[in-house]
Amino acid sequence: GESVGLHLPTLSVQEGDNSIINCAYSNSASDYFIWYKQESGKGPQFIIDIRSNMDKRQGQRVTVLLNKTVKHLSLQIAATQPGDSAVYFCAENTHTGFQKLVFGTGTRLLVSP
Amino acid sequence: AAGVIQSPRHLIKEKRETATLKCYPIPRHDTVYWYQQGPGQDPQFLISFYEKMQSDKGSIPDRFSAQQFSDYHSELNMSSLELGDSALYFCASSLRPGEGHEQYFGPGTRLTVT
């Protein structure tokens, strides 16, 4: 099964800093990756996605980098704001599947004003 | 914009009781997914439906069953509840299965089994 943990890794940053959240995935057949943001008591919210034929994709204040060689995904958040405080999950999906998402262990981002 | 609706938002049951969770997808979405999230854990895929047929199955216990109805809403039925079933249950919907069709998550149902 996928990795789980009662104690989430935590990244603490100051408001205005750039944040980098990392994720390692295990299935080399995965070809679609998504980052989700989950605030306390709420459902995961889509942030950005990337297909395996790309190694970088940019959104508004966010950039996702994909390194298929080492099966690593990262989410960069520019000028982090207190409202960015949440748990961030990466998720992977294989093209042949019915889009079942496999989530990685979340990272808690804490932004101090 | 309309979002995924889940009901109830909170549910308290005793061991060995049954529970039914409901999910109403975004209009025009024909694919529904169920996920279970334990405290401090990542969401785990349970089951999905496309056009009212089961399309994929994950780590769903035999005590659980689910279906998708003609109006595309879905229900997750849970029987012989155990303390370990206490979790957040999320439903997500998408336009149809396949790469690039973003899954939109509902607010979740928090199930507490005592």
Side-chain angles (χ1 to χ4, degrees):
Chain A
E2 293 73 34
S3 62
V4 296
L6 292 176
H7 302 288
L8 293 173
T10 299
L11 175 64
S12 297
V13 301
Q14 295 283 329
E15 182 177 2
D17 286 351
N18 295 331
S19 303
I20 300 176
I21 299 171
N22 297 303
C23 176
Y25 64 94
S26 55
N27 188 351
S28 56
S30 294
D31 52 13
Y32 179 59
F33 304 88
I34 314 101
W35 279 101
Y36 282 92
K37 172 186 180 183
Q38 187 176 24
E39 296 173 281
S40 181
K42 296 184 179 180
Q45 178 186 2
F46 174 92
I47 302 174
I48 192 168
D49 59 1
I50 188 168
R51 290 179 172 77
S52 59
N53 61 352
M54 305 170 66
D55 53 20
K56 181 179 180 179
R57 191 168 187 216
Q58 288 185 291
Q60 189 174 21
R61 283 202 307 119
V62 294
T63 301
V64 55
L65 299 177
L66 174 62
N67 185 331
K68 294 182 289 294
T69 303
V70 295
K71 291 188 281 190
H72 183 269
L73 199 66
S74 69
L75 176 70
Q76 300 178 0
I77 304 174
T80 314
Q81 302 168 0
D84 294 327
S85 294
V87 176
Y88 289 81
F89 291 97
C90 67
E92 58 186 294
N93 169 251
T94 56
H95 179 63
T96 55
F98 277 90
Q99 214 180 8
K100 171 185 75 176
L101 292 176
V102 176
F103 285 83
T105 302
T107 296
R108 187 181 306 280
L109 177 65
L110 296 175
V111 183
S112 310
Chain B
V4 176
I5 297 171
Q6 290 187 247
S7 68
R9 294 293 312 278
H10 302 273
L11 190 58
I12 300 175
K13 291 285 185 178
E14 295 187 354
K15 282 195 306 182
R16 293 180 289 277
E17 285 192 319
T18 61
T20 297
L21 279 53
K22 297 185 179 182
C23 169
Y24 298 86
I26 291 171
R28 295 195 304 118
H29 283 194
D30 52 19
T31 308
V32 169
Y33 312 79
W34 286 97
Y35 293 85
Q36 177 192 57
Q37 186 177 30
Q41 298 184 358
D42 52 293
Q44 295 285 315
F45 171 76
L46 292 177
I47 195 166
S48 63
F49 293 88
Y50 168 59
E51 282 291 345
K52 293 152 279 184
M53 299 287 289
Q54 181 182 307
S55 53
D56 203 354
K57 192 173 181 180
S59 51
I60 184 169
D62 291 341
R63 299 177 289 108
F64 294 6
S65 65
Q67 58 182 325
Q68 186 179 33
F69 295 85
S70 57
D71 63 352
Y72 296 106
H73 94 272
S74 178
E75 294 183 5
L76 177 65
N77 299 293
M78 311 159 73
S79 63
S80 302
L81 286 170
E82 302 174 356
L83 295 178
D85 296 329
S86 295
L88 268 170
Y89 290 84
F90 291 106
C91 170
S93 74
S94 67
L95 259 177
R96 58 183 175 89
E99 180 187 334
H101 289 283
E102 180 185 335
Q103 290 185 31
Y104 294 83
F105 282 78
T109 294
R110 182 176 295 280
L111 172 66
T112 303
V113 181
T114 61

